[in-house]
Amino acid sequence: MSGLNRSFTLLRTAIRPHIIPKANISAKPAKHVLGVGEQAFVLGVMFVTILGPSGWILANLENYKKHD
């Protein structure tokens, strides 16, 4: 009987809603507003950083397939 009681206790704790603390999110404007040039520069750097190595590998795929 104690095993059955223990399983009911586990089932009740699994069904019970869990309390999640609320995040502290503020809707203040940015302290330093980025200009269009800065945004374009950062976007370009991220583009080259992420897609540059992938493009290099795909462009030289035949060289990677060869094992001399």
Side-chain angles (χ1 to χ4, degrees), residues 6-65:
R6 194 175 318 143
S7 64
F8 283 134
T9 305
L10 289 173
L11 185 61
R12 269 189 272 138
T13 56
I15 294 174
R16 186 179 331 143
H18 298 286
I19 298 172
I20 300 172
K22 190 175 182 180
N24 295 327
I25 299 173
S26 63
K28 296 178 184 177
K31 292 180 181 178
H32 175 70
V33 180
L34 293 177
V36 176
E38 291 173 320
Q39 290 178 3
F41 174 75
V42 170
L43 184 64
V45 168
M46 289 178 59
F47 177 80
V48 169
T49 303
I50 293 170
L51 296 178
S54 303
W56 177 269
I57 291 171
L58 288 174
N60 296 303
L61 195 58
E62 294 300 322
N63 295 340
Y64 290 117
K65 287 182 182 179

